[in-house]
Amino acid sequence: MDRMLYVAMTGAKQTMYAQAVNNNNLANANTHGFRQSLAYAYTEPLRGPVYDSRDYVQVADEVIDFCKGAMQATGRDLDIAIQGDGLLAVQAEDGTEGYTRAGDLHIDAQGIMRLGNGLTVLGDGGPISIPPAESILIGADGTVTIRPLGGAPQGLAAIERLRLVNPPTQDLIRSEDGLFRRRDGDPAPADANVRVASGMLETSNVNTVGALTRMMELTRHYETQVKMMSTADNLGKTNNRLLGIS
Amino acid sequence: MNQALWVAKTGLDAQQTRMSVVSNNLANVNTTGFKKGRAVFEDLIYQTCRQPGAQSTQDTQLPSGLMIGTGVRTVATEKLFQQGNLVQTHNSMDMAIEGRGFFQILMPNGDMGYTRDGSFQINSEGEVVMSNGYPLQPGVVIPEEAQTIGISQDGIITVQLPGQVDPQELGQIQTADFINPAGLQPIGENLFLETAASGAAQESTPGANGLGQIVHCALETSNVNIAEELVNMIETQRSYEANSKALSTADSMIQFANNNLAR
């Protein structure tokens, strides 16, 4: 009897985790470049001595959905969106290299190119430093061109190239800081075929309708598990009543 | 407490912030020299409930983990400094900057403020001031008897005095530029303050060193695009609704457990 209670309890608990993963997708429906996680459940068998009744459930969210978000035109020169596959390399707070699809670039007071959240954007040769410029343009292959302050329209200077990589998506995991990294932790090689579009941002790829449907499904599933738990409870009560000495 | 509830709450918070930014943009659609804002979001840190890649036995690894995101946060409400449209006003004290740069304004506390709002006026002492009375720097005093005022593309102010053939030069407007204008701190009244993020102001003559030229008898309108903001508003509202649905669903799950267990 209590086996039933525990099996149902893990079901309810893991459904709640799946709901949190799903809610995180919904909360990030407007985060540029966000990639949704798909929570899925698998069996975690735990064999007892009598018969095979205990298959506990375990939820995992490792699957990151890398399908594309929509392109949003912003008209700002320093907004970039990666067209097709590929990722932009940035330096994480711990100094390691991480990858992202977010592309709202900024130039800070020291001339260093950063993402909207302050992380340093990496070029082929490390952090990108931009001299005082009248305008900054980013080409389709990530080449950063500037027109220096007071420079003639034809006096353009190519500064650096954004470090764009394209490792296989099954090698990528999401780290605790939200950046993607390779499973083995090594930096990915630069890929010359990644294309970026300037003046655009990529929206998150969360499908709101899909997430809301999933939310309902998980709720009903949770209710079923709770029902099982209360049934187990009732069975125990009946046992006690029938067998108890009163 | 329940993770799902708190994640949904961060979503509601973020959409609320975005809605304030959108409303502020729409409210300032007719403010001279106003620069629109944009809310930038990022996902919060992920909480590892089950470490992916841990050894399940000596030879095998767990193929997957459970990393629950803790929601979303607004990381910045940045200003977008795209050029606004220039409109002709035929008012001789109006000027607009076409390109980079800010007018420098002396604030009452002695600090320097920066603005793109070029609707200047003359106060009782003949000083050139903003509509709120703060004087333009370097200061210019327009003589009382001046008949016409001219402002050149590089900021030289000339007046025509009665009985004189040649116009008289009064001074030159200097504008300031920043390496990162998005780092300026907006303080209202169309003014911005220098911060560590914007870099130091680089004062120069309009039209030189990459600074924009001054257009006389014109004003720069706000760079808010109403259609774009309305689309943002719809998107924000729908996201808010979805998150509010998520919040009430997580709540009803707990409620169901509370009502059906251990009675």
Side-chain angles (χ1 to χ4, degrees):
Chain A
M1 189 279 295
D2 61 334
R3 263 175 269 168
M4 175 186 175
L5 185 58
Y6 275 100
V7 173
M9 186 271 282
T10 56
K13 189 179 155 194
Q14 300 296 318
T15 308
M16 205 51 132
Y17 278 144
Q19 189 74 285
V21 171
N22 194 47
N23 279 6
N24 188 54
N25 290 342
L26 268 181
N28 284 291
N30 280 335
T31 306
H32 286 125
F34 179 78
R35 289 289 166 267
Q36 64 178 353
S37 325
L38 304 174
Y40 68 94
Y42 59 90
T43 50
E44 186 80 354
L46 194 69
R47 295 292 175 235
V50 186
Y51 64 100
D52 300 344
S53 67
R54 279 165 284 185
D55 275 339
Y56 289 95
V57 65
Q58 186 76 55
V59 163
D61 85 322
E62 257 302 87
V63 181
I64 305 163
D65 180 3
F66 274 100
C67 77
K68 306 292 172 292
M71 293 285 179
Q72 204 176 33
T74 62
R76 185 173 164 267
D77 290 339
L78 281 175
D79 283 342
I80 57 162
I82 296 170
Q83 292 180 297
D85 293 332
L87 294 156
L88 175 68
V90 296
Q91 195 167 40
E93 272 162 25
D94 58 4
T96 57
E97 188 173 304
Y99 306 107
T100 179
R101 294 275 302 187
D104 53 320
L105 308 179
H106 291 264
I107 309 297
D108 76 1
Q110 282 74 43
I112 307 291
M113 189 179 269
R114 290 179 188 279
L115 271 189
N117 55 13
L119 297 178
T120 314
V121 176
L122 293 175
D124 285 336
I128 302 175
S129 177
I130 307 274
E134 198 169 325
S135 59
I136 303 169
L137 301 154
I138 296 171
D141 62 349
T143 306
V144 182
T145 311
I146 64 157
R147 182 173 158 203
L149 270 191
Q154 67 272 31
L156 301 178
I159 301 292
E160 243 295 25
R161 200 164 133 184
L162 300 174
R163 191 166 139 65
L164 298 165
V165 298
N166 191 10
T169 50
Q170 65 268 24
D171 280 1
L172 290 169
I173 51 166
R174 203 196 305 260
S175 308
E176 286 172 13
D177 53 10
L179 293 174
F180 299 112
R181 285 192 174 78
R182 288 238 299 207
R183 216 174 272 274
D184 53 13
D186 294 339
D191 187 335
N193 294 321
V194 178
R195 287 279 165 275
V196 301
S198 156
M200 298 276 216
L201 280 177
E202 187 187 1
T203 61
S204 124
N205 72 345
V206 177
N207 177 343
T208 321
V209 178
L212 285 171
T213 316
R214 176 111 180 93
M215 191 162 78
M216 283 183 221
E217 191 188 327
L218 288 169
T219 314
R220 296 300 165 222
H221 187 70
Y222 182 85
E223 288 179 1
T224 312
Q225 304 299 327
V226 169
K227 210 80 193 167
M228 294 297 281
M229 285 154 79
S230 88
T231 308
D233 190 26
N234 279 338
L235 283 174
K237 265 189 209 151
T238 316
N239 268 355
N240 286 350
R241 200 181 60 240
L242 290 176
L243 302 176
I245 306 161
S246 58
Chain B
M1 253 303 278
N2 189 333
Q3 185 75 62
L5 267 181
W6 286 98
V7 172
K9 177 239 157 208
T10 64
L12 285 180
D13 260 356
Q15 299 311 326
Q16 190 86 62
T17 309
R18 188 174 189 209
M19 195 63 215
S20 315
V21 174
V22 170
S23 323
N24 188 48
N25 287 347
L26 279 175
N28 283 295
V29 71
N30 280 332
T31 306
T32 310
F34 177 79
K35 297 296 171 198
K36 67 181 172 189
R38 170 172 87 177
V40 181
F41 301 128
E42 74 166 353
D43 39 354
L44 278 167
I45 58 158
Y46 286 76
Q47 187 176 309
T48 311
C49 296
R50 220 168 107 87
Q51 180 64 46
Q55 299 298 128
S56 54
T57 66
Q58 199 175 7
D59 304 322
T60 53
Q61 283 186 341
L62 288 176
S64 53
L66 179 59
M67 310 259 298
I68 295 182
T70 50
V72 62
R73 77 177 172 126
T74 317
V75 61
T77 50
E78 61 173 330
K79 285 273 183 195
L80 302 176
F81 281 90
Q82 288 144 354
Q83 178 78 37
N85 290 331
L86 298 185
V87 286
Q88 286 292 321
T89 60
H90 305 293
N91 177 357
S92 63
M93 284 315 292
D94 284 345
M95 36 188 145
I97 300 175
E98 163 63 33
R100 293 178 73 103
F102 294 85
F103 294 111
Q104 306 179 85
I105 304 294
L106 183 67
M107 311 239 297
N109 61 2
D111 285 351
M112 197 64 89
Y114 301 91
T115 185
R116 294 278 299 187
D117 174 7
S119 56
F120 289 103
Q121 293 175 31
I122 302 173
N123 71 6
S124 58
E125 276 124 49
E127 284 177 307
V128 177
V129 296
M130 273 181 83
S131 314
N132 55 15
Y134 302 168
L136 177 70
Q137 290 294 305
V140 182
V141 178
I142 308 283
E144 214 175 307
E145 64 277 17
Q147 289 171 319
T148 57
I149 299 167
I151 298 160
S152 70
Q153 288 186 339
D154 54 357
I156 298 169
I157 302 179
T158 48
V159 288
Q160 190 69 51
L161 295 174
Q164 290 190 4
V165 180
D166 293 326
Q168 191 187 343
E169 197 176 312
L170 294 177
Q172 190 169 19
I173 295 168
Q174 299 279 307
T175 55
D177 191 17
F178 298 89
I179 186 164
N180 176 24
L184 291 169
Q185 183 190 351
I187 52 163
E189 298 183 293
N190 278 346
L191 287 166
F192 294 94
L193 290 182
E194 177 186 318
T195 66
S198 68
Q202 285 140 18
E203 193 177 322
S204 188
T205 308
N209 300 321
L211 283 175
Q213 290 177 338
I214 287 183
V215 184
H216 188 212
C217 296
L219 284 178
E220 183 185 3
T221 60
S222 103
N223 66 352
V224 178
N225 179 325
I226 295 188
E228 191 183 319
E229 296 305 325
L230 288 177
V231 170
N232 281 337
M233 196 158 79
I234 295 171
E235 201 182 47
T236 309
Q237 190 191 0
R238 295 302 166 219
S239 295
Y240 189 86
E241 282 173 8
N243 279 292
S244 131
K245 191 86 197 159
L247 190 77
S248 71
T249 305
D251 177 47
S252 73
M253 280 163 83
I254 305 166
Q255 194 186 15
F256 190 83
N258 280 343
N259 290 344
N260 285 281
L261 289 180
R263 270 188 302 174

